[in-house]
Amino acid sequence: MIRLYHIVKSYGDRDALRDVSLHVEKGEMIYVTGPSGAGKSTMLKLLYGAERPTSGKMLIGGADVSKMDNRQLPSLRRNMGVVFQDFKLLPHRTVGENVAMALEVIGAPTDSIRRRVPAVLNIVGLRGREEDKAGVLSGGEKQRVAIARAIVNDPAILLADEPTGNLDGAMAVEVMEILQAINLRGTTVVIATHDVGLMDRFPYRRLRFVDGKLVVGGIQPRSKA
Amino acid sequence: MNGALGRALRGLREHAYLAAVSAGVIAAALVLLGVYGLVVLNLEAVVSGWQQDVHVSAYFVATATAEETAAARSELAGRPEVLKVELVTAEQAAAWMKERMPEVEPMLAELGPTALPASLEITLKDGYTSPAAMDAFAASLQASGRFGEIDYGREWVERASGFLRTLKLLGAVLGTILVLAALFLVGNTIHLVVYARRDELEILRLVGATDGYILAPFVVEGALEGLVASAFALVILEVVHRGVLSRLHDAVPVTFDEGGLQFLPAGPLVALVLVGVMIGVLASWVAVQRFLARLA
């Protein structure tokens, strides 16, 4: 599903990612981990197209996204959900409206939106909360709304950047259980986190970065793709 | 609510205060433009009235007989550029002078009934009142040898024409500066509006919205704000027209065409509305594009 070959990402003189090669299979759930500044978030930004690699090749679902121009990004992102530590919700809009944004963007018909939004809120445990304003929800509930918005289009890949970073222990576990359930439905899930306790409790393959280098979990391809 | 109009209306509802500020700035710019248009329009009418009121006074030589003055009058009345010609005899001129300046009466009595020369008061038709046309007309009178002095306020006509030309040029320059200043002001205001909605834009980008999808409601919002601002500006202009300018009219006695202050005619009013809509659309477009270019 995700193939990276010798990816380098530099900001001026500083290399945020250095010669990273990795494979993530379809339906896999993996962690991108490492200390602060190791390159976890940069890795995710490359995957959802917010940044372009300085060099190397990056294939997602068979498409070469390393050379994708801005006009092609919407089609990449429509097949990919993204969840952030700070939720990125519109607080003055309702839960239903926040989730529906992802469907409106692709021009989904109104009756389909009316059907899909409650169904996906049911998956994240927020059934019946469509009319609540997003701004009044707890942190855990906000993250569940963000996850609902990320998966409402049935994306092939779900990227989560420190999804439990702003949550206490019990809520973090709830969110991880939801991500696990989504993965069991066939979605490839990539989680950037440095929470070792959570990774031990939900054990999946770990890609460990240190100073921009992938030190655990990568591949060593014989030649550049 | 999927359409651009629906999303624009939702945006206006959610950010009513910011939308009102944007519309207010556009309205202020349009009022400035409109007031300037009103001033130029009415000054043009005044100057044009002045030009039309210009008379040519042709004073006969002292030796001219009554037959000669009458002949000159009927000859001039037949010329294509002459609208009206009146003969003022030496006696009529003296009576006019006595009436207005009684103190000169003894002097006029001493000089006799022909102290002041007879004259012709000539009104020219429209199109013959430019400085060049009046110069040519005066020269032709002078060449006839019947007249001693020709007076037609040449300097005044030239000044009025020059003033009108400068006014129009100033109007074009100031109008351009005003539109650019309005665009800059509205652009910055809408840029702040877009900045206040940066989370929404960022989320739309993340869920796969195209630039066109993101831009469309902002452009519609800009057009609606421009439309509302134009309507508001027209109301203010009407109030200004009826109030301030009317008072000015009463305070400064000047001649207006058709007896009163004019309001902007339909053409410029439609243009003002279009300029308002254009400013709203353009400023929104540029502000959102600039913001999107910085977003990942």
Side-chain angles (χ1 to χ4, degrees), chain A residues 53-73:
Chain A
T54 307
S55 64
K57 187 170 182 176
M58 193 163 73
L59 303 173
I60 296 179
D64 187 351
V65 297
S66 43
K67 293 188 178 76
M68 222 174 227
D69 69 31
N70 284 343
R71 281 170 301 180
Q72 294 169 297
L73 277 181

Side-chain angles (χ1 to χ4, degrees), chain B residues 16-17 23 27 32 43 108 120 137-139 145 149 156 158 160 165 183 200 210 216 221 238 246 268 270 277 284:
Chain B
Y17 174 72
L32 281 175
L43 280 179
L108 288 173
L120 290 177
F137 183 73
E149 193 183 336
W156 176 240
E158 277 180 357
R165 270 199 307 277
L183 266 176
E200 185 182 339
T210 59
E221 278 179 46
E238 177 60 24
S246 297
V270 171
V277 172
S284 295

Side-chain angles (χ1 to χ4, degrees), chain B residues 29 46 51 69 80 96 104 130 158 162-164 236 243-245 250 270:
Chain B
V46 171
Q51 280 188 333
T69 56
W96 185 87
V104 301
S130 70
E158 277 180 357
F163 178 61
L164 200 60
I236 292 177
V244 181
L245 285 183
D250 294 341
V270 171

Side-chain angles (χ1 to χ4, degrees), chain A residues 35-54:
Chain A
S36 293
K40 304 188 295 291
S41 291
T42 305
M43 183 72 242
L44 260 65
K45 281 180 183 170
L46 288 177
L47 293 178
Y48 66 82
E51 300 279 1
R52 298 288 195 286
T54 307

Side-chain angles (χ1 to χ4, degrees), chain A residues 74 78 84 88 93 104 108, chain B residues 2 10 14 202-203 206 208:
Chain A
R78 287 174 187 192
F84 295 92
K88 294 204 187 299
R93 291 201 188 165
E104 289 172 356
Chain B
N2 281 5
R10 178 162 72 184
E14 287 177 351
E202 199 181 342
I203 293 165
L206 278 174

Side-chain angles (χ1 to χ4, degrees), chain A residues 135-147:
Chain A
V136 302
L137 302 178
S138 70
E141 288 170 335
K142 282 178 183 166
Q143 194 58 293
R144 284 192 273 165
V145 175
I147 293 170

